[in-house]
Amino acid sequence: MKFSVLAGGVGGAKLANGLSKWLSPDDMAVIVNTGDDFEFLGFYICPDIDTVMYNLAGINNPDTGYGIKDDTFNVIKNLEKLGTESWFHIGDSDIANQIKRTMQLNAGIPLSDIIEETSKALGNTHLIFPMSNEPVRTWVVTNEGESLPFQEYFVKRHFQPEVKQILFKGSEESKLPKKAHEFMESSQLVIICPSNPYVSIDPILSVPGVREILQNKTVVAVSPLISGKTVKGPAAKIMSELGIDVSVTSIARHYQPLIKGIVIDTQDRQETEQISHCGIIPYVTDILMPDTQAQERLAGEVINFSIQLHKESAA
Ligand code: GDP
Ligand code: CA
């Protein structure tokens, strides 16, 4: 059976990597958020795509989850000395990827082709697609009325401003790259990784046509929350700022009516009944992925659970 995997950065890449250990390249492709993409020092940076690409290639920095293992930071340090902006701390090897991508984009090559080539060059056999080749930009409107491009909110301001609204500028004009569209259409199952629902998965769902495709698939989400907390990042903070109860039930409701099932942590077991009342089937297990072993173990359970749901819905 074929799986389309929707992912943002760090949380998404962990599960996507686990899934890639079980599913062959014919049976799995990752569709990645590009709402965080931005230009920095003249380079076109795709933080989430790179995180997924580096994780699947096994070259990611295991401490941060993003960036390249054992990278050096000479370029950014020297740029800082020269008085250039340096709030986005990017490593030297990582910059090589940005140079290649920016050169190819300037030559008119579509982002999805560039990613396919780069990912292959890094040793990946599973396909990784940007959610669209057209630019979609996530903006955060703060309660003080400021509008911030996502990376400025996330990296420069350390997600401190209070979020009032999240916008995906350009999404109406975007579309899935052709190969991503074909892969999604032909897959029976869709896994929504434990990425931030509001700023990593929603941008993908905002691409015209994606929700329609999902309506005909067995979709299973994995919670990014454990016991009311995010493992990393602003998901819980954003939820409370938007006036949403910080719980796995809220995550399940957020993905209604797209998902058939949701994978939640044993610490949230008490919410299973509430989730079932929404018409969503909960599956309870340990969903923390501190290492690649845990990624693989959870991925195996997610695959079995979603195949079981698929068979039940087909019966
Ligand atoms: P970003 O784009 O790098 O911010 O990453 P994502 O949106 O893909 O992932 C961020 C989310 O992943 C956060 O809400 C985290 O709680 C979640 N996350 C990170 N590590 C884990 C983990 O080991 N298990 C689960 N279930 N969620 C995780
Ligand atoms: Ca991201």
Side-chain angles (χ1 to χ4, degrees):
M1 263 188 277
K2 267 171 99 166
F3 288 73
S4 288
V5 178
L6 310 188
V10 174
K14 287 188 194 174
L15 186 69
N17 187 44
L19 292 166
S20 73
K21 307 296 178 204
W22 297 95
L23 302 168
S24 77
D26 287 339
D27 292 334
M28 167 184 161
V30 196
I31 293 94
V32 186
N33 172 40
T34 58
D36 302 2
D37 291 7
F38 70 120
E39 287 197 18
F40 185 69
L41 307 173
F43 299 131
Y44 187 88
I45 307 205
C46 307
D48 288 359
I49 289 179
D50 285 346
T51 299
V52 172
M53 215 160 49
Y54 298 159
N55 270 266
L56 261 63
I59 59 166
N60 61 293
N61 178 341
D63 301 327
T64 54
Y66 59 85
I68 295 178
K69 184 163 54 185
D70 302 325
D71 211 348
T72 50
F73 292 86
N74 293 313
V75 172
I76 201 81
K77 275 186 210 154
N78 282 287
L79 283 167
E80 204 169 1
K81 278 190 203 161
L82 299 174
T84 307
E85 271 197 306
S86 61
W87 56 270
F88 193 75
H89 211 64
I90 187 164
D92 298 332
S93 310
D94 212 342
I95 288 175
N97 174 21
Q98 314 310 327
I99 292 175
K100 172 194 155 76
R101 173 160 52 223
T102 307
M103 272 171 27
Q104 289 188 303
L105 281 170
N106 289 342
I109 302 172
L111 182 63
S112 53
D113 290 357
I114 301 171
I115 300 307
E116 192 175 338
E117 187 187 284
T118 307
S119 191
K120 219 177 262 176
L122 293 174
N124 288 330
T125 46
H126 293 82
L127 287 171
I128 296 168
F129 296 113
M131 68 190 199
S132 101
N133 284 329
E134 296 77 28
V136 177
R137 293 292 165 264
T138 301
W139 283 72
V140 171
V141 183
T142 72
N143 71 335
E144 286 175 2
E146 229 181 336
S147 273
L148 301 170
F150 187 73
Q151 291 301 330
E152 272 191 51
Y153 158 77
F154 192 70
V155 182
K156 199 173 181 179
R157 306 274 294 268
H158 307 287
F159 49 88
Q160 282 318 302
E162 210 171 293
V163 176
K164 195 171 136 201
Q165 202 188 358
I166 299 159
L167 307 171
F168 309 121
K169 294 190 183 174
S171 70
E172 308 80 31
E173 286 85 42
S174 70
K175 56 181 185 300
L176 280 168
K178 190 166 175 279
K179 281 192 194 171
H181 188 271
E182 285 168 2
F183 194 95
M184 281 192 84
E185 282 284 15
S186 66
S187 48
Q188 293 82 15
L189 297 125
V190 176
I191 307 293
I192 300 182
C193 286
S195 290
N196 186 317
Y198 306 91
V199 297
S200 292
I201 301 296
D202 280 359
I204 307 177
L205 300 177
S206 80
V207 175
V210 171
R211 283 180 174 272
E212 287 71 14
I213 296 177
L214 262 50
Q215 273 167 15
N216 307 313
K217 312 291 173 196
T218 300
V219 186
V220 167
V222 179
S223 172
L225 291 187
I226 299 177
S227 190
K229 293 196 182 71
T230 29
V231 181
K232 195 171 177 279
K237 183 174 177 283
I238 291 176
M239 287 173 88
S240 62
E241 287 165 0
L242 294 177
I244 302 163
D245 180 43
V246 186
S247 68
V248 290
T249 307
S250 298
I251 303 286
R253 286 210 183 103
H254 180 77
Y255 289 132
Q256 250 178 338
L258 296 176
I259 58 168
K260 282 214 167 60
I262 186 163
V263 179
I264 63 169
D265 197 76
T266 45
Q267 292 184 49
D268 295 308
R269 188 184 288 283
Q270 72 287 354
E271 290 189 50
T272 50
E273 205 176 316
Q274 233 179 317
I275 293 171
S276 303
H277 279 150
C278 304
I280 294 165
I281 301 163
Y283 176 89
V284 182
T285 187
D286 175 6
I287 64 166
L288 188 65
M289 296 173 281
D291 50 37
T292 50
Q293 232 177 340
Q295 293 169 2
E296 203 170 323
R297 192 260 317 144
L298 177 59
E301 288 189 62
V302 171
I303 291 169
N304 289 337
F305 173 56
S306 39
I307 290 178
Q308 185 197 329
L309 287 190
H310 183 69
K311 285 186 177 154
E312 281 168 14
S313 64

